[in-house]
Amino acid sequence: MDLVFHAARAVTPDGERSCSVGVSDGRVAAVDDYGALSGDRVVELREDEVLLPGLVDTHVHVNDPGRSDWEGFDTATRAAAAGGVTTIVDMPLNCLPPTVDVASLDVKRRAAEGRIAVDVGFWGGAVPGNRGELRPLHDAGVFGFKCFLLHSGVDEFAPLDETGLEEAMRELAEFDGLLIVHAEDADTIEGAPAAHGRAYTDFLGSRPSAAENTAIARVLDLARRTGARVHILHLAAGDAVPLVAQARADGVRVTAETCPHYLSFVAEEIRDGATEFKCCPPIREAGNREELWRALGDGVIDCVVTDHSPCTPELKRFDTGDFGDAWGGIAGLQVGLPAVWTGARSRGFTLDDVVRWMAQRPAEQVGLASKGRIAVGCDADFAVFAPDEAFVVDRTRLRHRNPVSAYHERALAGVVRASWLRGREINLEHGAEPFGEFLSREESAAPVRSGQH
């Protein structure tokens, strides 16, 4: 073995166990009893540390190229590694150009070349007029296609109307592509009070849960009729959970995700003018948060990913605190794991559950069979995690490009002490050469689960 980990606690597909993990040529070569393996290098985890598979975050806005002052491949991937995330999949918008054809995908890959500290894959976009670009993007290796059903926040990534949504689904069904959907209904939001002013309750009223319910019902109906695979992004409305559960029971190939901020924060505690908490869909009430936790426990919501959507401090309009004017997005890539673990353990969930939500299931959803598990043949991607060590988030010490965080001054449990990518420890010191690789969709991609909870 090139490398061996001895861990009194490790989370494997068979559950948490004491074991030794052997690595050869960047992959897991053996998982055996504690102390049973030897190698050229041996890493002995401390008593308070747990060996986790590297997390897989399939919802990250890197914003590079074009808006790299918001984030960037260098800062995003180092923040990911600092948070135990060893694989990200980058969203197709907020960058310039948006990733809506092969040429723009090539531009993005060139921008990222030599600057990624973790492994990186890419989503394509489904926008009006690019139906003919979907198959070429699929063949070029994107993991699927994102669409909006209302204004995306940037003019260059337009939403699909109902006809365009059905056309995209029918096209993707031809080659079993995956459509991932920002599911909020434009007409419902148009009929709600406009977002304005410093009161969070007013902003919440501008994005009612009915907008999610209506949009999700439409997506599921079209998925039934077209046979397309669909994924509901950043599910925030707990009362939409039964829609997803019923559709899956009916055989619709649908998955759903939620995000750490929906599991951590509640509307009742967001101060007026605290625009760092603005995101779309919005953070809802405490009862809604518990419905999301229950849906995770029941398996209706498949995974937890960050929807890391950073911006510059100026765009958050801290000068006025106006929720109507502020950019909607939460930067949480580095703190997603401790945020979820803090909430999970207080509700009786285990690290096995967290790993399933944040590593195994996201990898399965995009068909990355070699990621998200500590198992023979998988990439030797690991996070060394101290689950009982507490800390208070300091936005100025996060590795995100801009010091904006809804988690600032929040006490969390769980510290990532090291991350490993394909058997090499990731060095986060300034000037260290990154060695992340680009990932492409695998032909053996696992189908989206259906008929299961």
Side-chain angles (χ1 to χ4, degrees), residues 150-297:
L150 77 173
H151 194 277
S152 68
V154 291
D155 293 337
E156 67 273 6
F157 198 94
L160 296 176
D161 60 18
E162 187 146 2
T163 298
L165 180 64
E166 181 171 356
E167 288 178 349
M169 284 196 190
R170 292 195 181 281
E171 178 70 17
L172 295 180
E174 290 292 319
F175 52 87
D176 204 31
L178 174 64
L179 187 69
I180 64 174
V181 186
H182 181 122
E184 287 183 286
D185 180 64
D187 290 340
T188 303
I189 290 176
E190 183 68 26
H196 68 283
R198 293 174 53 84
Y200 185 78
T201 52
D202 290 341
F203 168 64
L204 183 60
S206 75
R207 315 285 293 216
S209 61
E212 284 191 80
N213 300 340
T214 299
I216 289 170
R218 181 184 305 130
V219 169
L220 295 175
D221 179 61
L222 285 172
R224 282 189 182 92
R225 291 197 270 129
T226 63
R229 293 191 294 141
V230 296
H231 177 72
I232 305 302
L233 296 166
H234 44 51
L235 181 60
D239 51 5
V241 167
L243 298 174
V244 176
Q246 185 60 56
R248 189 176 291 160
D250 293 343
V252 175
R253 295 192 295 166
V254 58
T255 49
E257 68 185 38
T258 194
C259 305
H261 42 275
Y262 299 127
L263 299 170
S264 298
F265 305 120
V266 293
E268 294 92 333
E269 296 176 358
I270 297 177
R271 305 179 314 278
D272 289 352
T275 53
E276 63 269 30
F277 291 93
K278 180 181 177 180
C279 57
C280 300
I283 295 161
R284 304 193 187 280
E285 298 85 355
N288 182 88
R289 178 179 65 180
E290 298 314 307
E291 290 180 23
L292 298 178
W293 278 108
R294 282 192 292 272
L296 272 171

Side-chain angles (χ1 to χ4, degrees), residues 24-47:
S24 290
D25 297 324
R27 289 184 176 264
V28 176
V31 181
D32 208 333
D33 294 337
Y34 184 91
L37 302 176
S38 60
D40 297 339
R41 180 182 178 188
V42 175
V43 176
E44 188 84 38
L45 266 65
R46 301 174 186 174
E47 290 183 359

Side-chain angles (χ1 to χ4, degrees), residues 127-133 160:
V127 296
N130 86 325
R131 180 176 179 177
E133 303 291 345
L160 296 176

Side-chain angles (χ1 to χ4, degrees), residues 361-404:
R361 288 272 176 83
E364 291 174 348
Q365 190 236 333
V366 295
L368 285 173
S370 63
K371 299 291 189 182
R373 296 176 298 135
I374 299 177
V376 173
C378 288
D379 286 352
D381 301 345
F382 308 113
V384 176
F385 187 57
D388 297 323
E389 183 177 346
F391 73 105
V392 176
V393 178
D394 180 349
R395 64 189 173 211
T396 67
R397 301 187 67 181
L398 297 176
R399 293 181 181 272
H400 308 153
R401 176 143 293 164
N402 293 289
V404 178

